[in-house]
Each structure stands twice: as structure tokens, then as C-alpha cells.
Amino acid sequence: AVFTISFGLYSLQSCQCLAWKPHPIITWGAESQHVVAGYSDGTIRVFSISRTEMELKMHPHTGALTAIAYSMEGEMILSGSKDGLVAVSSPLTGMTIRILTDHKGSPITVLQCTRKQYCDFGVEGSELWLATSSDQRVSIWASDWLKDKCELLDWLSFPASASPEGLSSLSPSLAAFCPWEPGTLVSVSFGMQKEALFYSLCKKQVVKKISLPYFAMSLSLSPAAQFMAVGFGERLLRLLHCPTSDAQDYAGHDDSVHLCRFAPSGRRLLTASHSAVLVWELTGD
């Protein structure tokens, strides 16, 4: 059965991005009851799923939001806007405590947080997070939210393919922390080549490249196994087994595969195009 909940609010503004609040690991299968949403008017709204109502509204941006994420423990909300600003806001107080301008001028395409991994990196903090922008740049940060620390750890910049229509016509710049290779992030649609790049934060260099048939439109890495899903504008989904780079291609979408997300178990993959949402069941190792 499929159940839907409608909040019936704020029809004058469009929701641009969503994120579930992390849930403490208490009971296997338990789900968080809060969602944060970013809107076209620059506001952030926190909703209670159980009460079907808005609990908090903040206005950290003047432009439309393009990406949003919770910190690993849910104590902070990171939001990125069309003008390239990244805000750090507290859902407890409703205050915006930090505005980062490093990507100013280019829309934020991805925000992602992960726990600080085995590498010490020589900086304080228990959490790493990254931001990517459509001008082919990615910044990586180390943070300790309780101590109000947020330090730039690394900065990557790649030449973009020439396009007469400008940055808006290029494939989105995407990056994600690699769950099975600590201290490594994976990026696609960066640079001049159709490939996925594995970048080591410890070695400060690209340590692996995987060729792709097209420039990527979406990216997801399995949290449970060494699989990477990449969606393309050519209505194609590719599943890569990363140790061997073995690839399986799947059709079935009616348009560009603009979203792909592994479930926390890693056994299911959700993909979306213009008018189709598909759920894939992964079998084997």
C-alpha cells in the first residue's frame, strides 16, 4: 500500500528540495518524523510528519533554494541557493548562524554530510560535509557544530566544457562521499571527460577514474555495497560495481534520469524521470 500526506500549505511558493532528518539508531527500521524543505522564496520549513503540520519557518536566503541537508545528528540544517550562498541554520533556535560565500555566483547543486572518517586531516571536527556548484567546483569542510567550528578542508575546481548557452545548459555538477572508501569522494560531470572521479582527501589527488558513456545527470552510491548508480540524459541508468568497474545498463525511463537514490539497506534503488518513478530491486553481492 502507498500512503500520501498532504500539508495543503504555501501553494504560492514551490518546494525546490527536501531532506529527512536523521533518526537516532534506536530501533532497526525506525523512521524520522521530520522533513525539511527548501522553497523558491528563500525560506526553509520544517514539517512534522506525524502531526502533518509545519513546526518552523526560517528565511536564510534571498533567492530560491537549490539544495538542502541535515547534519549527521540533525542539529544543523545546511541550505544552498541559486545565488551560490550556503547557510547553516539551527532548527532548535530558528537562527542562521553562518553564511558561506565561497560558491557565490553559481547555484549550489549538492550538499552532503558524513561522519569524519579515519583520516584526521589535521583539523578539528567530527563531521565532514561538501558543497558543489554548477561552475564545476566542490568544497569540503570539517565541522564541529557544538563548538561552532567550520573549517575549509579542500577545494576542487575543474574546467567546464564549452557551451554557448552557458552553465545552465551543462550537466549538473555532482559529488558524494564514498561509503566504502573512507576519506574519498566521487564526482561526476566535472571536467572535460565523461567519467567518474575518485578523489582522495588524504592524498589530495584523483586515485581512480571510471569512464561513462555520457555526462551524468544524477548520482547515488550504495551505503551497503560497492555499487554506484548513474543516471543520464539519454534515458539510461547505469549500475557500476566499483571494484571491477563492471557495468549494467538499464532502459525504461521516458526522459532524462534526473534522480537516483539508494535505500539505506542498499537493496533498492529509486530513479525518476519526467513522468516515471521506478524502484529497482538489487540482487546478489
Side-chain angles (χ1 to χ4, degrees), residues 128-167:
L128 298 180
W129 63 275
L130 63 80
T132 68
S133 50
S134 60
D135 57 358
Q136 308 285 345
R137 297 187 297 165
V138 55
S139 58
I140 303 97
W141 305 76
S143 296
D144 188 329
W145 304 116
L146 296 179
K147 296 181 180 179
D148 193 27
K149 291 183 178 294
C150 187
E151 183 175 346
L152 182 64
L153 179 65
D154 210 339
W155 183 268
L156 307 179
S157 182
F158 299 87
S161 302
S163 173
E165 291 82 16
L167 291 173

PDB file of all heavy atoms in Angstrom, residues 128-167:
ATOM      1  N   LEU A 128      32.263  15.713   8.296  1.00  0.00           N
ATOM      2  CA  LEU A 128      32.666  16.301   7.029  1.00  0.00           C
ATOM      3  C   LEU A 128      31.423  16.610   6.216  1.00  0.00           C
ATOM      4  O   LEU A 128      30.415  15.905   6.305  1.00  0.00           O
ATOM      5  CB  LEU A 128      33.550  15.340   6.232  1.00  0.00           C
ATOM      6  CG  LEU A 128      34.888  14.912   6.829  1.00  0.00           C
ATOM      7  CD1 LEU A 128      35.594  13.968   5.869  1.00  0.00           C
ATOM      8  CD2 LEU A 128      35.765  16.117   7.128  1.00  0.00           C
ATOM      9  N   TRP A 129      31.477  17.671   5.437  1.00  0.00           N
ATOM     10  CA  TRP A 129      30.398  17.940   4.500  1.00  0.00           C
ATOM     11  C   TRP A 129      30.950  18.608   3.252  1.00  0.00           C
ATOM     12  O   TRP A 129      32.043  19.171   3.266  1.00  0.00           O
ATOM     13  CB  TRP A 129      29.279  18.762   5.133  1.00  0.00           C
ATOM     14  CG  TRP A 129      29.631  20.145   5.595  1.00  0.00           C
ATOM     15  CD1 TRP A 129      30.171  20.492   6.796  1.00  0.00           C
ATOM     16  CD2 TRP A 129      29.436  21.368   4.880  1.00  0.00           C
ATOM     17  NE1 TRP A 129      30.329  21.850   6.880  1.00  0.00           N
ATOM     18  CE2 TRP A 129      29.889  22.416   5.717  1.00  0.00           C
ATOM     19  CE3 TRP A 129      28.912  21.685   3.628  1.00  0.00           C
ATOM     20  CZ2 TRP A 129      29.839  23.758   5.316  1.00  0.00           C
ATOM     21  CZ3 TRP A 129      28.854  23.018   3.240  1.00  0.00           C
ATOM     22  CH2 TRP A 129      29.321  24.033   4.072  1.00  0.00           C
ATOM     23  N   LEU A 130      30.206  18.482   2.173  1.00  0.00           N
ATOM     24  CA  LEU A 130      30.653  19.051   0.909  1.00  0.00           C
ATOM     25  C   LEU A 130      29.535  19.856   0.267  1.00  0.00           C
ATOM     26  O   LEU A 130      28.349  19.638   0.521  1.00  0.00           O
ATOM     27  CB  LEU A 130      31.157  17.962  -0.039  1.00  0.00           C
ATOM     28  CG  LEU A 130      30.203  16.868  -0.534  1.00  0.00           C
ATOM     29  CD1 LEU A 130      29.311  17.328  -1.680  1.00  0.00           C
ATOM     30  CD2 LEU A 130      30.988  15.637  -0.973  1.00  0.00           C
ATOM     31  N   ALA A 131      29.951  20.789  -0.567  1.00  0.00           N
ATOM     32  CA  ALA A 131      29.032  21.581  -1.383  1.00  0.00           C
ATOM     33  C   ALA A 131      29.572  21.609  -2.797  1.00  0.00           C
ATOM     34  O   ALA A 131      30.780  21.794  -3.011  1.00  0.00           O
ATOM     35  CB  ALA A 131      28.902  23.003  -0.841  1.00  0.00           C
ATOM     36  N   THR A 132      28.702  21.407  -3.773  1.00  0.00           N
ATOM     37  CA  THR A 132      29.106  21.549  -5.164  1.00  0.00           C
ATOM     38  C   THR A 132      28.252  22.631  -5.809  1.00  0.00           C
ATOM     39  O   THR A 132      27.115  22.874  -5.406  1.00  0.00           O
ATOM     40  CB  THR A 132      28.942  20.232  -5.955  1.00  0.00           C
ATOM     41  OG1 THR A 132      27.547  19.931  -6.097  1.00  0.00           O
ATOM     42  CG2 THR A 132      29.629  19.085  -5.255  1.00  0.00           C
ATOM     43  N   SER A 133      28.828  23.284  -6.806  1.00  0.00           N
ATOM     44  CA  SER A 133      28.111  24.331  -7.527  1.00  0.00           C
ATOM     45  C   SER A 133      28.213  24.074  -9.024  1.00  0.00           C
ATOM     46  O   SER A 133      29.082  23.322  -9.490  1.00  0.00           O
ATOM     47  CB  SER A 133      28.654  25.715  -7.165  1.00  0.00           C
ATOM     48  OG  SER A 133      30.055  25.769  -7.266  1.00  0.00           O
ATOM     49  N   SER A 134      27.337  24.711  -9.775  1.00  0.00           N
ATOM     50  CA  SER A 134      27.220  24.406 -11.195  1.00  0.00           C
ATOM     51  C   SER A 134      28.389  24.897 -12.030  1.00  0.00           C
ATOM     52  O   SER A 134      28.452  24.603 -13.224  1.00  0.00           O
ATOM     53  CB  SER A 134      25.912  24.994 -11.742  1.00  0.00           C
ATOM     54  OG  SER A 134      25.894  26.396 -11.570  1.00  0.00           O
ATOM     55  N   ASP A 135      29.321  25.633 -11.430  1.00  0.00           N
ATOM     56  CA  ASP A 135      30.506  26.073 -12.162  1.00  0.00           C
ATOM     57  C   ASP A 135      31.664  25.092 -12.013  1.00  0.00           C
ATOM     58  O   ASP A 135      32.829  25.462 -12.171  1.00  0.00           O
ATOM     59  CB  ASP A 135      30.933  27.472 -11.708  1.00  0.00           C
ATOM     60  CG  ASP A 135      31.211  27.535 -10.205  1.00  0.00           C
ATOM     61  OD1 ASP A 135      31.036  26.503  -9.521  1.00  0.00           O
ATOM     62  OD2 ASP A 135      31.586  28.608  -9.720  1.00  0.00           O
ATOM     63  N   GLN A 136      31.349  23.829 -11.713  1.00  0.00           N
ATOM     64  CA  GLN A 136      32.332  22.746 -11.647  1.00  0.00           C
ATOM     65  C   GLN A 136      33.294  22.879 -10.469  1.00  0.00           C
ATOM     66  O   GLN A 136      34.476  22.559 -10.568  1.00  0.00           O
ATOM     67  CB  GLN A 136      33.143  22.671 -12.961  1.00  0.00           C
ATOM     68  CG  GLN A 136      32.315  22.618 -14.212  1.00  0.00           C
ATOM     69  CD  GLN A 136      31.670  21.253 -14.439  1.00  0.00           C
ATOM     70  OE1 GLN A 136      32.049  20.271 -13.825  1.00  0.00           O
ATOM     71  NE2 GLN A 136      30.696  21.195 -15.326  1.00  0.00           N
ATOM     72  N   ARG A 137      32.787  23.333  -9.325  1.00  0.00           N
ATOM     73  CA  ARG A 137      33.626  23.451  -8.123  1.00  0.00           C
ATOM     74  C   ARG A 137      32.989  22.675  -6.979  1.00  0.00           C
ATOM     75  O   ARG A 137      31.768  22.574  -6.883  1.00  0.00           O
ATOM     76  CB  ARG A 137      33.813  24.912  -7.729  1.00  0.00           C
ATOM     77  CG  ARG A 137      34.542  25.754  -8.774  1.00  0.00           C
ATOM     78  CD  ARG A 137      34.832  27.146  -8.250  1.00  0.00           C
ATOM     79  NE  ARG A 137      33.594  27.880  -7.956  1.00  0.00           N
ATOM     80  CZ  ARG A 137      33.551  28.993  -7.224  1.00  0.00           C
ATOM     81  NH1 ARG A 137      34.658  29.473  -6.672  1.00  0.00           N
ATOM     82  NH2 ARG A 137      32.410  29.605  -7.019  1.00  0.00           N
ATOM     83  N   VAL A 138      33.850  22.141  -6.114  1.00  0.00           N
ATOM     84  CA  VAL A 138      33.370  21.436  -4.924  1.00  0.00           C
ATOM     85  C   VAL A 138      34.252  21.826  -3.749  1.00  0.00           C
ATOM     86  O   VAL A 138      35.481  21.884  -3.859  1.00  0.00           O
ATOM     87  CB  VAL A 138      33.361  19.897  -5.122  1.00  0.00           C
ATOM     88  CG1 VAL A 138      34.729  19.396  -5.551  1.00  0.00           C
ATOM     89  CG2 VAL A 138      32.907  19.183  -3.867  1.00  0.00           C
ATOM     90  N   SER A 139      33.620  22.145  -2.632  1.00  0.00           N
ATOM     91  CA  SER A 139      34.349  22.460  -1.404  1.00  0.00           C
ATOM     92  C   SER A 139      34.024  21.409  -0.358  1.00  0.00           C
ATOM     93  O   SER A 139      32.895  20.922  -0.275  1.00  0.00           O
ATOM     94  CB  SER A 139      33.971  23.859  -0.887  1.00  0.00           C
ATOM     95  OG  SER A 139      32.578  23.956  -0.643  1.00  0.00           O
ATOM     96  N   ILE A 140      35.043  21.049   0.452  1.00  0.00           N
ATOM     97  CA  ILE A 140      34.887  20.048   1.503  1.00  0.00           C
ATOM     98  C   ILE A 140      35.256  20.705   2.828  1.00  0.00           C
ATOM     99  O   ILE A 140      36.289  21.374   2.936  1.00  0.00           O
ATOM    100  CB  ILE A 140      35.787  18.818   1.246  1.00  0.00           C
ATOM    101  CG1 ILE A 140      35.474  18.196  -0.117  1.00  0.00           C
ATOM    102  CG2 ILE A 140      35.589  17.791   2.345  1.00  0.00           C
ATOM    103  CD1 ILE A 140      36.387  18.633  -1.223  1.00  0.00           C
ATOM    104  N   TRP A 141      34.391  20.499   3.833  1.00  0.00           N
ATOM    105  CA  TRP A 141      34.519  21.193   5.109  1.00  0.00           C
ATOM    106  C   TRP A 141      34.555  20.194   6.265  1.00  0.00           C
ATOM    107  O   TRP A 141      33.928  19.127   6.195  1.00  0.00           O
ATOM    108  CB  TRP A 141      33.341  22.147   5.319  1.00  0.00           C
ATOM    109  CG  TRP A 141      33.145  23.122   4.199  1.00  0.00           C
ATOM    110  CD1 TRP A 141      32.597  22.871   2.961  1.00  0.00           C
ATOM    111  CD2 TRP A 141      33.511  24.496   4.198  1.00  0.00           C
ATOM    112  NE1 TRP A 141      32.597  24.013   2.205  1.00  0.00           N
ATOM    113  CE2 TRP A 141      33.147  25.028   2.931  1.00  0.00           C
ATOM    114  CE3 TRP A 141      34.088  25.342   5.141  1.00  0.00           C
ATOM    115  CZ2 TRP A 141      33.352  26.358   2.591  1.00  0.00           C
ATOM    116  CZ3 TRP A 141      34.297  26.674   4.808  1.00  0.00           C
ATOM    117  CH2 TRP A 141      33.938  27.161   3.550  1.00  0.00           C
ATOM    118  N   ALA A 142      35.261  20.563   7.324  1.00  0.00           N
ATOM    119  CA  ALA A 142      35.231  19.828   8.589  1.00  0.00           C
ATOM    120  C   ALA A 142      34.543  20.703   9.625  1.00  0.00           C
ATOM    121  O   ALA A 142      34.864  21.893   9.743  1.00  0.00           O
ATOM    122  CB  ALA A 142      36.646  19.482   9.052  1.00  0.00           C
ATOM    123  N   SER A 143      33.576  20.127  10.357  1.00  0.00           N
ATOM    124  CA  SER A 143      32.781  20.937  11.283  1.00  0.00           C
ATOM    125  C   SER A 143      32.601  20.245  12.620  1.00  0.00           C
ATOM    126  O   SER A 143      32.522  19.017  12.708  1.00  0.00           O
ATOM    127  CB  SER A 143      31.402  21.240  10.679  1.00  0.00           C
ATOM    128  OG  SER A 143      31.525  22.018   9.514  1.00  0.00           O
ATOM    129  N   ASP A 144      32.531  21.075  13.650  1.00  0.00           N
ATOM    130  CA  ASP A 144      32.084  20.665  14.973  1.00  0.00           C
ATOM    131  C   ASP A 144      31.009  21.661  15.364  1.00  0.00           C
ATOM    132  O   ASP A 144      31.296  22.773  15.807  1.00  0.00           O
ATOM    133  CB  ASP A 144      33.238  20.677  15.974  1.00  0.00           C
ATOM    134  CG  ASP A 144      32.847  20.071  17.322  1.00  0.00           C
ATOM    135  OD1 ASP A 144      31.664  20.188  17.692  1.00  0.00           O
ATOM    136  OD2 ASP A 144      33.725  19.495  17.989  1.00  0.00           O
ATOM    137  N   TRP A 145      29.758  21.279  15.161  1.00  0.00           N
ATOM    138  CA  TRP A 145      28.656  22.235  15.301  1.00  0.00           C
ATOM    139  C   TRP A 145      28.486  22.713  16.739  1.00  0.00           C
ATOM    140  O   TRP A 145      28.127  23.860  16.974  1.00  0.00           O
ATOM    141  CB  TRP A 145      27.363  21.602  14.787  1.00  0.00           C
ATOM    142  CG  TRP A 145      27.458  21.105  13.374  1.00  0.00           C
ATOM    143  CD1 TRP A 145      27.360  19.817  12.951  1.00  0.00           C
ATOM    144  CD2 TRP A 145      27.691  21.891  12.200  1.00  0.00           C
ATOM    145  NE1 TRP A 145      27.514  19.739  11.593  1.00  0.00           N
ATOM    146  CE2 TRP A 145      27.709  20.996  11.096  1.00  0.00           C
ATOM    147  CE3 TRP A 145      27.885  23.256  11.949  1.00  0.00           C
ATOM    148  CZ2 TRP A 145      27.912  21.426   9.789  1.00  0.00           C
ATOM    149  CZ3 TRP A 145      28.087  23.685  10.648  1.00  0.00           C
ATOM    150  CH2 TRP A 145      28.096  22.786   9.585  1.00  0.00           C
ATOM    151  N   LEU A 146      28.757  21.831  17.698  1.00  0.00           N
ATOM    152  CA  LEU A 146      28.594  22.219  19.098  1.00  0.00           C
ATOM    153  C   LEU A 146      29.612  23.276  19.518  1.00  0.00           C
ATOM    154  O   LEU A 146      29.361  24.080  20.421  1.00  0.00           O
ATOM    155  CB  LEU A 146      28.710  20.991  20.003  1.00  0.00           C
ATOM    156  CG  LEU A 146      27.611  19.924  19.814  1.00  0.00           C
ATOM    157  CD1 LEU A 146      27.851  18.747  20.759  1.00  0.00           C
ATOM    158  CD2 LEU A 146      26.226  20.517  20.043  1.00  0.00           C
ATOM    159  N   LYS A 147      30.765  23.293  18.853  1.00  0.00           N
ATOM    160  CA  LYS A 147      31.799  24.288  19.156  1.00  0.00           C
ATOM    161  C   LYS A 147      31.811  25.431  18.144  1.00  0.00           C
ATOM    162  O   LYS A 147      32.717  26.268  18.164  1.00  0.00           O
ATOM    163  CB  LYS A 147      33.166  23.610  19.196  1.00  0.00           C
ATOM    164  CG  LYS A 147      33.316  22.577  20.302  1.00  0.00           C
ATOM    165  CD  LYS A 147      34.708  21.968  20.289  1.00  0.00           C
ATOM    166  CE  LYS A 147      34.876  20.938  21.402  1.00  0.00           C
ATOM    167  NZ  LYS A 147      36.234  20.326  21.379  1.00  0.00           N
ATOM    168  N   ASP A 148      30.827  25.451  17.262  1.00  0.00           N
ATOM    169  CA  ASP A 148      30.718  26.492  16.236  1.00  0.00           C
ATOM    170  C   ASP A 148      31.979  26.566  15.373  1.00  0.00           C
ATOM    171  O   ASP A 148      32.483  27.636  15.040  1.00  0.00           O
ATOM    172  CB  ASP A 148      30.435  27.856  16.872  1.00  0.00           C
ATOM    173  CG  ASP A 148      29.995  28.895  15.834  1.00  0.00           C
ATOM    174  OD1 ASP A 148      29.426  28.495  14.806  1.00  0.00           O
ATOM    175  OD2 ASP A 148      30.242  30.097  16.050  1.00  0.00           O
ATOM    176  N   LYS A 149      32.512  25.390  15.015  1.00  0.00           N
ATOM    177  CA  LYS A 149      33.695  25.328  14.163  1.00  0.00           C
ATOM    178  C   LYS A 149      33.317  24.831  12.782  1.00  0.00           C
ATOM    179  O   LYS A 149      32.561  23.870  12.638  1.00  0.00           O
ATOM    180  CB  LYS A 149      34.758  24.402  14.769  1.00  0.00           C
ATOM    181  CG  LYS A 149      35.396  24.943  16.043  1.00  0.00           C
ATOM    182  CD  LYS A 149      36.482  24.016  16.545  1.00  0.00           C
ATOM    183  CE  LYS A 149      37.158  24.580  17.796  1.00  0.00           C
ATOM    184  NZ  LYS A 149      37.900  25.825  17.504  1.00  0.00           N
ATOM    185  N   CYS A 150      33.841  25.495  11.768  1.00  0.00           N
ATOM    186  CA  CYS A 150      33.579  25.120  10.389  1.00  0.00           C
ATOM    187  C   CYS A 150      34.798  25.541   9.574  1.00  0.00           C
ATOM    188  O   CYS A 150      35.027  26.737   9.347  1.00  0.00           O
ATOM    189  CB  CYS A 150      32.310  25.804   9.885  1.00  0.00           C
ATOM    190  SG  CYS A 150      31.791  25.256   8.244  1.00  0.00           S
ATOM    191  N   GLU A 151      35.599  24.568   9.144  1.00  0.00           N
ATOM    192  CA  GLU A 151      36.882  24.862   8.503  1.00  0.00           C
ATOM    193  C   GLU A 151      36.952  24.227   7.116  1.00  0.00           C
ATOM    194  O   GLU A 151      36.604  23.056   6.939  1.00  0.00           O
ATOM    195  CB  GLU A 151      38.024  24.339   9.374  1.00  0.00           C
ATOM    196  CG  GLU A 151      39.401  24.665   8.834  1.00  0.00           C
ATOM    197  CD  GLU A 151      40.504  24.238   9.771  1.00  0.00           C
ATOM    198  OE1 GLU A 151      40.185  23.926  10.953  1.00  0.00           O
ATOM    199  OE2 GLU A 151      41.671  24.208   9.347  1.00  0.00           O
ATOM    200  N   LEU A 152      37.386  25.018   6.142  1.00  0.00           N
ATOM    201  CA  LEU A 152      37.553  24.520   4.783  1.00  0.00           C
ATOM    202  C   LEU A 152      38.705  23.523   4.745  1.00  0.00           C
ATOM    203  O   LEU A 152      39.827  23.840   5.146  1.00  0.00           O
ATOM    204  CB  LEU A 152      37.820  25.678   3.821  1.00  0.00           C
ATOM    205  CG  LEU A 152      37.969  25.304   2.340  1.00  0.00           C
ATOM    206  CD1 LEU A 152      36.672  24.731   1.799  1.00  0.00           C
ATOM    207  CD2 LEU A 152      38.398  26.527   1.530  1.00  0.00           C
ATOM    208  N   LEU A 153      38.417  22.306   4.272  1.00  0.00           N
ATOM    209  CA  LEU A 153      39.415  21.245   4.248  1.00  0.00           C
ATOM    210  C   LEU A 153      40.067  21.111   2.879  1.00  0.00           C
ATOM    211  O   LEU A 153      41.269  20.893   2.757  1.00  0.00           O
ATOM    212  CB  LEU A 153      38.765  19.922   4.647  1.00  0.00           C
ATOM    213  CG  LEU A 153      39.638  18.677   4.664  1.00  0.00           C
ATOM    214  CD1 LEU A 153      40.717  18.805   5.730  1.00  0.00           C
ATOM    215  CD2 LEU A 153      38.782  17.436   4.916  1.00  0.00           C
ATOM    216  N   ASP A 154      39.283  21.241   1.826  1.00  0.00           N
ATOM    217  CA  ASP A 154      39.809  21.071   0.469  1.00  0.00           C
ATOM    218  C   ASP A 154      38.913  21.801  -0.513  1.00  0.00           C
ATOM    219  O   ASP A 154      37.740  22.083  -0.210  1.00  0.00           O
ATOM    220  CB  ASP A 154      39.894  19.582   0.104  1.00  0.00           C
ATOM    221  CG  ASP A 154      41.025  19.285  -0.880  1.00  0.00           C
ATOM    222  OD1 ASP A 154      41.469  20.225  -1.580  1.00  0.00           O
ATOM    223  OD2 ASP A 154      41.453  18.123  -0.940  1.00  0.00           O
ATOM    224  N   TRP A 155      39.465  22.076  -1.670  1.00  0.00           N
ATOM    225  CA  TRP A 155      38.734  22.815  -2.700  1.00  0.00           C
ATOM    226  C   TRP A 155      39.128  22.255  -4.062  1.00  0.00           C
ATOM    227  O   TRP A 155      40.307  22.209  -4.401  1.00  0.00           O
ATOM    228  CB  TRP A 155      39.085  24.305  -2.621  1.00  0.00           C
ATOM    229  CG  TRP A 155      38.334  25.161  -3.592  1.00  0.00           C
ATOM    230  CD1 TRP A 155      38.720  25.512  -4.854  1.00  0.00           C
ATOM    231  CD2 TRP A 155      37.060  25.764  -3.396  1.00  0.00           C
ATOM    232  NE1 TRP A 155      37.769  26.300  -5.457  1.00  0.00           N
ATOM    233  CE2 TRP A 155      36.741  26.476  -4.572  1.00  0.00           C
ATOM    234  CE3 TRP A 155      36.168  25.777  -2.323  1.00  0.00           C
ATOM    235  CZ2 TRP A 155      35.551  27.191  -4.714  1.00  0.00           C
ATOM    236  CZ3 TRP A 155      34.990  26.484  -2.466  1.00  0.00           C
ATOM    237  CH2 TRP A 155      34.688  27.181  -3.645  1.00  0.00           C
ATOM    238  N   LEU A 156      38.145  21.799  -4.826  1.00  0.00           N
ATOM    239  CA  LEU A 156      38.395  21.233  -6.144  1.00  0.00           C
ATOM    240  C   LEU A 156      37.719  22.093  -7.196  1.00  0.00           C
ATOM    241  O   LEU A 156      36.596  22.566  -7.015  1.00  0.00           O
ATOM    242  CB  LEU A 156      37.850  19.807  -6.229  1.00  0.00           C
ATOM    243  CG  LEU A 156      38.303  18.815  -5.142  1.00  0.00           C
ATOM    244  CD1 LEU A 156      37.648  17.470  -5.361  1.00  0.00           C
ATOM    245  CD2 LEU A 156      39.812  18.684  -5.126  1.00  0.00           C
ATOM    246  N   SER A 157      38.416  22.271  -8.303  1.00  0.00           N
ATOM    247  CA  SER A 157      37.865  23.058  -9.400  1.00  0.00           C
ATOM    248  C   SER A 157      38.293  22.416 -10.708  1.00  0.00           C
ATOM    249  O   SER A 157      39.458  22.033 -10.871  1.00  0.00           O
ATOM    250  CB  SER A 157      38.359  24.505  -9.332  1.00  0.00           C
ATOM    251  OG  SER A 157      37.801  25.277 -10.370  1.00  0.00           O
ATOM    252  N   PHE A 158      37.345  22.255 -11.629  1.00  0.00           N
ATOM    253  CA  PHE A 158      37.617  21.593 -12.889  1.00  0.00           C
ATOM    254  C   PHE A 158      37.196  22.483 -14.048  1.00  0.00           C
ATOM    255  O   PHE A 158      36.220  23.235 -13.938  1.00  0.00           O
ATOM    256  CB  PHE A 158      36.840  20.271 -12.981  1.00  0.00           C
ATOM    257  CG  PHE A 158      37.199  19.276 -11.926  1.00  0.00           C
ATOM    258  CD1 PHE A 158      36.551  19.293 -10.694  1.00  0.00           C
ATOM    259  CD2 PHE A 158      38.176  18.329 -12.148  1.00  0.00           C
ATOM    260  CE1 PHE A 158      36.867  18.378  -9.715  1.00  0.00           C
ATOM    261  CE2 PHE A 158      38.504  17.414 -11.161  1.00  0.00           C
ATOM    262  CZ  PHE A 158      37.847  17.432  -9.944  1.00  0.00           C
ATOM    263  N   PRO A 159      37.885  22.421 -15.186  1.00  0.00           N
ATOM    264  CA  PRO A 159      37.446  23.182 -16.354  1.00  0.00           C
ATOM    265  C   PRO A 159      36.145  22.625 -16.888  1.00  0.00           C
ATOM    266  O   PRO A 159      35.960  21.410 -16.956  1.00  0.00           O
ATOM    267  CB  PRO A 159      38.588  23.002 -17.360  1.00  0.00           C
ATOM    268  CG  PRO A 159      39.237  21.709 -16.959  1.00  0.00           C
ATOM    269  CD  PRO A 159      39.116  21.642 -15.454  1.00  0.00           C
ATOM    270  N   ALA A 160      35.219  23.498 -17.228  1.00  0.00           N
ATOM    271  CA  ALA A 160      33.923  23.071 -17.740  1.00  0.00           C
ATOM    272  C   ALA A 160      33.950  22.994 -19.259  1.00  0.00           C
ATOM    273  O   ALA A 160      34.684  23.734 -19.922  1.00  0.00           O
ATOM    274  CB  ALA A 160      32.833  24.045 -17.292  1.00  0.00           C
ATOM    275  N   SER A 161      33.152  22.097 -19.808  1.00  0.00           N
ATOM    276  CA  SER A 161      33.024  22.007 -21.259  1.00  0.00           C
ATOM    277  C   SER A 161      32.414  23.294 -21.799  1.00  0.00           C
ATOM    278  O   SER A 161      31.544  23.893 -21.179  1.00  0.00           O
ATOM    279  CB  SER A 161      32.135  20.810 -21.620  1.00  0.00           C
ATOM    280  OG  SER A 161      32.671  19.614 -21.103  1.00  0.00           O
ATOM    281  N   ALA A 162      32.897  23.712 -22.950  1.00  0.00           N
ATOM    282  CA  ALA A 162      32.383  24.935 -23.556  1.00  0.00           C
ATOM    283  C   ALA A 162      30.937  24.747 -23.985  1.00  0.00           C
ATOM    284  O   ALA A 162      30.556  23.701 -24.509  1.00  0.00           O
ATOM    285  CB  ALA A 162      33.238  25.309 -24.762  1.00  0.00           C
ATOM    286  N   SER A 163      30.107  25.756 -23.726  1.00  0.00           N
ATOM    287  CA  SER A 163      28.697  25.692 -24.104  1.00  0.00           C
ATOM    288  C   SER A 163      28.210  27.091 -24.441  1.00  0.00           C
ATOM    289  O   SER A 163      28.370  28.013 -23.641  1.00  0.00           O
ATOM    290  CB  SER A 163      27.851  25.110 -22.965  1.00  0.00           C
ATOM    291  OG  SER A 163      26.484  25.203 -23.272  1.00  0.00           O
ATOM    292  N   PRO A 164      27.626  27.281 -25.623  1.00  0.00           N
ATOM    293  CA  PRO A 164      27.150  28.618 -25.992  1.00  0.00           C
ATOM    294  C   PRO A 164      26.004  29.100 -25.124  1.00  0.00           C
ATOM    295  O   PRO A 164      25.760  30.286 -25.012  1.00  0.00           O
ATOM    296  CB  PRO A 164      26.702  28.427 -27.455  1.00  0.00           C
ATOM    297  CG  PRO A 164      26.428  26.961 -27.592  1.00  0.00           C
ATOM    298  CD  PRO A 164      27.414  26.288 -26.678  1.00  0.00           C
ATOM    299  N   GLU A 165      25.309  28.169 -24.445  1.00  0.00           N
ATOM    300  CA  GLU A 165      24.183  28.550 -23.596  1.00  0.00           C
ATOM    301  C   GLU A 165      24.614  28.858 -22.174  1.00  0.00           C
ATOM    302  O   GLU A 165      23.806  29.262 -21.346  1.00  0.00           O
ATOM    303  CB  GLU A 165      23.119  27.447 -23.572  1.00  0.00           C
ATOM    304  CG  GLU A 165      22.372  27.261 -24.888  1.00  0.00           C
ATOM    305  CD  GLU A 165      23.164  26.411 -25.864  1.00  0.00           C
ATOM    306  OE1 GLU A 165      24.126  25.735 -25.421  1.00  0.00           O
ATOM    307  OE2 GLU A 165      22.854  26.434 -27.060  1.00  0.00           O
ATOM    308  N   GLY A 166      25.897  28.648 -21.853  1.00  0.00           N
ATOM    309  CA  GLY A 166      26.378  28.950 -20.511  1.00  0.00           C
ATOM    310  C   GLY A 166      26.228  27.770 -19.567  1.00  0.00           C
ATOM    311  O   GLY A 166      25.892  26.644 -19.965  1.00  0.00           O
ATOM    312  N   LEU A 167      26.449  28.024 -18.268  1.00  0.00           N
ATOM    313  CA  LEU A 167      26.454  26.961 -17.263  1.00  0.00           C
ATOM    314  C   LEU A 167      25.118  26.256 -17.134  1.00  0.00           C
ATOM    315  O   LEU A 167      25.048  25.077 -16.816  1.00  0.00           O
ATOM    316  CB  LEU A 167      26.851  27.543 -15.900  1.00  0.00           C
ATOM    317  CG  LEU A 167      28.294  28.020 -15.751  1.00  0.00           C
ATOM    318  CD1 LEU A 167      28.473  28.715 -14.418  1.00  0.00           C
ATOM    319  CD2 LEU A 167      29.271  26.874 -15.896  1.00  0.00           C
TER     320      LEU A 167
END
